[in-house]
Amino acid sequence: MNPVTPRFAANAVARLRDQREEEGIKPIQARGWRAPRCRDCRVIESHCLCAWRPSVEARSGVCLIMTNKEVFKPSNTGWLIADVVRDNHAFIWSRTETDEQLLALLADPQWQPYLVFPGEYVEPERVTHSVAVDSTKRPLFILLDATWTEARKIFRKSPYFDRLPILSLLPEKLSRYRLRRSTRSEHLCTAEVAALCLDLAGDTEAASALDAYFDVFSQHYLDAKKQLDMNLATPAHAELMRFVHNDVPAMF
């Protein structure tokens, strides 16, 4: 018998998706869109990921700036971040309208916002490669969860980000993201970027959990797409198991 998957409170990305649907925005119909997917984890039901959702503490917060299309994509990894980091926020970007809730979040005195973006596109005095972990303010990582072309547009046309420090990451490994093609192998997906940020902020357990969660998600997603049986006996599942507190399949 399969275990009963617990229901979790919707994270900010899921709430944003639901909000867009209520407003009449229709999901994109990419290849495989007809396959029945779990409403919570977006993976094809036969390879549902919900039982593997990790539970960890993190001092940091995350804020995802998304496009209308990105919030609906099953291959999006922003929701993985919001699953792991309890203090999560998500907003749809608009060139003509500014979300007042986003401005209020950026001005909240409990947070030290960092806009995560490559330093080569920014004035050197705004760029940092580290996070002030001993600050009285908690780190809030602003992540542009979009294609690289869209992210550059968001960066250029969002004046409310102009005062924020730019956290420029120096990843030592190439991207493991295999769900969409990128023209540059060094481009990390949003979940990989977030894990690096968490590690810099001293949230090492959350970083490790997110890394493992991302690897397990990628495997479930691709195995379902290729119509392969779900394989739970992998190093990624074993690593993620450390952070899972609900019942998982009996193999473990």
Side-chain angles (χ1 to χ4, degrees), residues 23 41-42 53 95 107 110 115 137 213 216:
E23 293 170 353
C41 72
R42 310 182 186 201
R53 181 174 178 174
R95 183 179 61 83
Q110 73 170 303
L115 179 58
K137 294 187 175 184
Y213 196 31
V216 169

Side-chain angles (χ1 to χ4, degrees), residues 182-214:
S182 174
T183 56
R184 296 178 61 181
S185 60
E186 69 271 24
H187 281 180
L188 304 178
C189 77
T190 310
E192 292 174 301
V193 168
L196 290 172
C197 292
L198 291 168
D199 193 54
L200 282 175
D203 285 319
T204 54
E205 286 288 282
S208 296
L210 180 55
D211 263 337
Y213 196 31
F214 166 70

Side-chain angles (χ1 to χ4, degrees), residues 30-38 42-46 74 224-225:
R31 181 170 20 171
W33 70 274
R34 293 183 182 276
R37 294 182 179 275
C38 172
R42 310 182 186 201
V43 179
I44 291 174
E45 289 178 350
S46 61
K225 183 177 180 180

Side-chain angles (χ1 to χ4, degrees), residues 36-179:
R37 294 182 179 275
C38 172
R39 179 69 181 172
D40 293 328
C41 72
R42 310 182 186 201
V43 179
I44 291 174
E45 289 178 350
S46 61
H47 290 63
C48 177
L49 191 72
C50 288
W52 293 92
R53 181 174 178 174
S55 178
V56 291
E57 296 296 325
R59 183 170 179 265
S60 306
V62 294
C63 175
L64 296 157
I65 308 298
M66 311 182 76
T67 61
N68 267 320
K69 291 182 179 180
E70 195 66 38
V71 76
F72 287 118
K73 290 178 180 177
S75 56
N76 172 267
T77 65
W79 72 269
L80 296 172
I81 306 165
D83 263 357
V84 172
V85 181
R86 185 168 301 172
D87 285 313
N88 59 85
H89 310 266
F91 300 91
I92 295 293
W93 183 78
S94 170
R95 183 179 61 83
T96 58
E97 299 179 9
T98 303
D99 194 311
E100 293 299 323
Q101 293 184 2
L102 171 58
L103 297 182
L105 176 65
L106 297 178
D108 189 329
Q110 73 170 303
W111 297 114
Q112 171 55 68
Y114 292 91
L115 179 58
V116 184
F117 203 76
E120 63 203 79
Y121 298 96
V122 189
E123 302 86 347
E125 58 271 16
R126 289 183 65 191
V127 177
T128 181
H129 300 296
S130 61
V131 175
V133 296
D134 58 347
S135 171
T136 56
K137 294 187 175 184
R138 298 162 61 196
L140 177 69
F141 299 113
I142 313 298
L143 303 168
L144 307 184
D145 191 12
T147 66
W148 175 233
T149 300
E150 292 166 336
R152 285 186 295 179
K153 180 180 179 181
I154 293 171
F155 180 78
R156 292 195 312 268
K157 298 183 179 296
S158 303
Y160 40 87
F161 290 146
D162 290 348
R163 64 179 180 82
L164 301 182
I166 302 298
L167 178 60
S168 180
L169 301 174
L170 302 173
E172 297 178 353
K173 53 188 176 182
L174 300 179
S175 175
R176 310 189 309 284
Y177 189 54
R178 297 170 291 155
L179 308 188

Side-chain angles (χ1 to χ4, degrees), residues 214-229:
F214 166 70
D215 285 339
V216 169
F217 164 67
S218 297
Q219 182 191 323
H220 282 227
Y221 190 101
L222 289 172
D223 284 354
K225 183 177 180 180
K226 298 174 183 177
Q227 298 184 330
L228 300 176
D229 291 338

